[in-house]
Amino acid sequence: MTRTEGTAAAARQLVGASRPLSWVNTAYPFAAAYLMAGGGLTAELVVGTVFFLVPYNLLMYGINDVFDYESDLRNPRKGGVEGIVLASRWHRLTLWWACLLPVPFVLALLWWGSWASAAVLVGTLVAVVAYSAPGMRFKERPVLDSMTSSAHFVGPAAFGLALTGAPLTTTAAVSLLAFFLWGMASQAFGAVQDVLADREAGIGSIATALGGRRTVRLAIGLYAAAGLVMAAADWPAALAGLLVMPYLVSILPFHDVPDERCEVARRGWRRFLWLNMVTGFLLTLLLLWIAWGR
């Protein structure tokens, strides 16, 4: 392999490890929250969006791919849009890039922000590292795994709000809470399909602790709770509560899935990935409506 080929191969591995399909899932909440809270087209918006688009995801998933390498080799879901199996020769390089690439972005965002926004950003980054890093491995601690995973996506939104310095309104607070409940539900349902594989590998999760059937029912309850919480938001933001309906309809057929057939939940997880795009589009329309009415 020539030097050029090696560089290209390394770049492909790093990009693959950052999960391009998920880039928007962290950059969008930050940018939307920042703009809806009164932030303008500023350097903070640009730097923050770029940070949560790529460096943040490389930190989150790069660490995960390095320390989950052995289990990823046995996971049939790996190798596609849900993540690559990161070749062992690139592990050290991935950890270096994952840890160093965010540094200039984080320093700039800390400099521009307040003590409150700094606390939110640091807390979010701690949750990202703690999820997969040895010695913490929150992803293997039932319930905490769902809470931490949800924080990975709610954190950028909370930071966007804090960075503007705007007061926390009731609508903003209930939106963050609803988003957190939605994130917990999504992570929990996603864990159902891996119940048997995780138990065989000795990996703990909310689904291995509760079982597939109870975990799906918990996810249904969390989705429903997220929708109900949004009812406390101002009009028309409260309409966002209706966006949980497609997720409820999607996972209801799995409410009685036994652990022995947990793999069938894979169908619902595939729908989840596409539902995110549809609901993201609808949420954007709602946010534009809210902004237009101001």
Side-chain angles (χ1 to χ4, degrees), residues 222-242:
L222 289 170
Y223 278 136
L228 291 174
V229 164
M230 280 305 299
D234 293 335
W235 180 267
L239 288 174
L242 297 175

Side-chain angles (χ1 to χ4, degrees), residues 9 23 35 40 49-50 85 105 117 123 158-159 187 190 194 207 210 220 233 241:
W23 288 356
L35 291 172
T49 301
V50 172
V85 176
F105 296 91
S117 66
F159 176 67
Q187 193 278 343
D194 294 326
L210 299 180
I220 291 171

Side-chain angles (χ1 to χ4, degrees), residues 24-46:
V24 69
N25 294 339
T26 47
Y28 181 95
F30 165 78
Y34 183 83
L35 291 172
M36 295 305 294
L41 299 178
T42 62
E44 290 93 327
L45 173 65
V46 174

Side-chain angles (χ1 to χ4, degrees), residues 13 17 21 28 41 50 69 78 81 98 102 123 180 212 249 276 279:
Q13 290 282 292
L21 187 67
Y28 181 95
L41 299 178
V50 172
Y69 176 66
K78 292 295 183 175
V81 296
F180 184 75
V249 171
N276 285 347
T279 55

Side-chain angles (χ1 to χ4, degrees), residues 60-83:
M60 178 160 56
Y61 294 117
I63 294 175
N64 181 81
D65 284 355
V66 169
F67 295 109
D68 279 13
Y69 176 66
E70 294 298 329
S71 60
D72 284 351
L73 288 173
R74 300 186 295 271
N75 191 336
R77 295 195 290 120
K78 292 295 183 175
V81 296
E82 294 181 55

Side-chain angles (χ1 to χ4, degrees), residues 13-192:
Q13 290 282 292
L14 289 172
V15 171
S18 70
R19 307 285 202 283
L21 187 67
S22 296
W23 288 356
V24 69
N25 294 339
T26 47
Y28 181 95
F30 165 78
Y34 183 83
L35 291 172
M36 295 305 294
L41 299 178
T42 62
E44 290 93 327
L45 173 65
V46 174
V47 172
T49 301
V50 172
F51 168 64
F52 286 112
L53 195 69
V54 183
Y56 180 79
N57 280 288
L58 180 59
L59 176 67
M60 178 160 56
Y61 294 117
I63 294 175
N64 181 81
D65 284 355
V66 169
F67 295 109
D68 279 13
Y69 176 66
E70 294 298 329
S71 60
D72 284 351
L73 288 173
R74 300 186 295 271
N75 191 336
R77 295 195 290 120
K78 292 295 183 175
V81 296
E82 294 181 55
I84 64 172
V85 176
L86 185 67
S88 58
R89 66 174 298 188
W90 305 116
H91 285 186
R92 184 183 297 274
L93 179 69
T94 299
L95 287 178
W96 274 109
W97 275 97
C99 294
L100 294 180
L101 185 60
V103 170
F105 296 91
V106 171
L107 291 178
L109 293 170
L110 290 174
W111 175 262
W112 284 322
S114 62
W115 285 107
S117 66
V120 174
L121 181 58
V122 171
T124 300
L125 294 176
V126 169
V128 165
V129 175
Y131 189 70
S132 302
M136 293 177 279
R137 298 289 289 178
F138 284 7
K139 67 179 297 177
E140 295 186 24
R141 302 175 187 270
V143 182
L144 187 59
D145 56 347
S146 292
M147 296 175 67
T148 309
S149 176
S150 184
H152 295 166
F153 304 96
V154 179
F159 176 67
L161 290 171
L163 191 59
T164 66
L168 184 65
T169 65
T170 299
T171 293
V174 299
S175 296
L176 290 176
L177 177 57
F179 190 14
F180 184 75
L181 294 171
W182 175 90
M184 284 191 66
S186 301
Q187 193 278 343
F189 179 72
V192 171

